[in-house]
Amino acid sequence: MANIIDGKAVSARVKEEIRQEVEGLKAKGVEIGLAVVIVGDDPASQVYVKNKEKACEAVGFNSFKYALPAETTEEELLALVDKLNKDDKVDGILVQLPLPKHLDDKIIINNIRPDKDVDAFHPVNVGKIMIGDYSFLPCTPAGVMELIKSTGTEVAGKECVVIGRSNIVGKPQAMLLLHENGTVTITHSKTKNLKEVCARADILVAAVGRAKMVTADYIKEGAVVIDVGMNRDENGKLCGDVDFEDCKEKAGYITPVPGGVGPMTIAMLMKNTLTAGKEHHGV
Ligand code: GUN
């Protein structure tokens, strides 16, 4: 039986460290604020935004929520982003994705001040990640790195396979593993012999968005298996990209869904907001 990586516990530890630092900053009169913008009424986004507000409260940040109607125009949203860019009480800005279809993510993200872009989605921050000179790490990949670290596994020299090449997870995940000196392969829908490639991995990160796609024959005995997926199975139950029941005997370490990567993403968002706040306040 694999060791199950407890994302909730690792996330709680990270948030507690942040809370203590925030307490110290408050004693010096420094307050940190995160603005979260949600457009429309996507139910999943509403849950994510609520969780982000709760996390802000738990660590001691001020949180500013802007819930805009689905019909919001690009001009209106850009005007809000501009206002938040200029607001000294706001250290971090997060525009919840996906946006309604008539709004272009790229245009909106490109208008967030890079030093307030706590998602690390702005091209300036993406470029910094590429060259290894970053202040913000993309939240989900950074959370995955913390989970790998929590197992005591050294990334250097390991075969690391990432399934999925999205801008939000797959690509930055590969860069972070590479910065830690892993030997990294990015796989995707056109990859030949995907199963064999994955079965080489000492560290396998699944971020593909297909329920229970990764079965035991995709993994190497004793591998660290990290599941970024968040899907519904045939019974409507939350599940990952990894078939947990099938893989749990063979993996060395494995994350559950829910309770693995999910809680880490928010902890890393809090970490980025703290970094932004400290930089803005010169501490
Ligand atoms: N939607 C799903 N995940 C995320 C995230 O990490 N950041 C933003 N802005 N939107 C998301």
Side-chain angles (χ1 to χ4, degrees):
M1 176 74 187
N3 293 289
I4 296 170
I5 305 173
D6 185 348
K8 274 194 202 158
V10 181
S11 161
R13 195 191 68 220
V14 172
K15 282 191 285 190
E16 176 54 21
E17 285 166 10
I18 295 169
R19 193 196 63 76
Q20 286 178 18
E21 197 169 343
V22 171
E23 204 171 71
L25 290 170
K26 273 191 181 164
K28 293 184 202 152
V30 173
E31 296 218 3
I32 293 175
L34 174 67
V36 178
V37 181
I38 176 168
V39 185
D41 41 25
D42 177 60
S45 291
Q46 283 177 344
V47 173
Y48 291 140
V49 165
K50 186 114 211 108
N51 288 341
K52 285 166 188 172
E53 282 183 282
K54 275 196 213 157
C56 281
E57 198 180 319
V59 301
F61 293 154
N62 298 319
S63 81
F64 309 102
K65 181 181 166 187
Y66 295 84
L68 307 181
E71 319 73 69
T72 301
T73 64
E74 182 179 295
E75 291 69 31
E76 286 165 338
L77 185 53
L78 287 175
L80 174 59
V81 168
D82 187 49
K83 181 173 99 104
L84 298 173
N85 280 340
K86 291 175 178 148
D87 187 339
D88 286 339
K89 290 196 179 64
V90 172
D91 298 292
I93 302 170
L94 180 142
V95 177
Q96 187 66 29
L97 303 179
L99 288 167
K101 285 211 166 42
H102 66 283
L103 295 168
D104 183 340
D105 298 1
K106 267 196 214 137
I107 294 175
I108 306 304
I109 288 166
N110 287 357
N111 279 279
I112 296 174
R113 248 173 67 173
D115 63 336
K116 293 192 177 189
D117 166 42
V118 284
D119 267 323
F121 289 169
H122 190 287
V124 165
N125 289 322
V126 174
K128 284 182 164 188
I129 291 156
M130 191 77 179
I131 59 174
D133 167 30
Y134 35 71
S135 35
F136 301 135
L137 290 176
C139 300
T140 299
V144 169
M145 297 309 287
E146 283 288 327
L147 292 178
I148 295 169
K149 209 194 291 172
S150 78
T151 68
T153 304
E154 176 86 16
V155 175
K158 295 280 162 48
E159 287 282 346
C160 306
V161 174
V162 180
I163 317 176
R165 55 175 156 183
S166 71
N167 288 329
I168 293 183
V169 185
K171 285 185 208 166
Q173 188 68 66
M175 292 316 301
L176 299 193
L177 290 162
L178 185 59
H179 291 323
E180 296 280 333
N181 299 309
T183 301
V184 185
T185 304
I186 306 178
T187 66
H188 45 77
S189 56
K190 300 280 190 293
T191 297
K192 294 204 170 68
N193 307 321
L194 178 64
K195 216 178 264 188
E196 288 74 18
V197 175
C198 292
R200 291 204 303 257
D202 302 303
I203 298 170
L204 180 65
V205 181
V208 68
R210 284 182 56 192
K212 300 185 187 176
M213 187 197 91
V214 176
T215 44
D217 45 350
Y218 281 71
I219 63 172
K220 179 173 161 179
E221 190 88 38
V224 177
V225 178
I226 308 283
D227 190 353
V228 181
M230 187 67 85
N231 316 295
R232 298 270 167 196
D233 70 9
E234 59 283 3
N235 303 315
K237 198 167 159 247
L238 211 55
C239 72
D241 294 344
V242 176
D243 187 333
F244 183 86
E245 286 305 314
D246 199 42
C247 295
K248 69 180 184 199
E249 301 300 332
K250 200 172 179 188
Y253 291 89
I254 189 166
T255 58
V257 176
V261 174
M264 289 308 296
T265 299
I266 292 192
M268 294 299 124
L269 173 68
M270 298 297 109
K271 202 166 174 178
N272 283 345
T273 306
L274 176 63
T275 302
K278 283 173 24 181
E279 192 188 308
H280 294 150
H281 291 91
V283 288

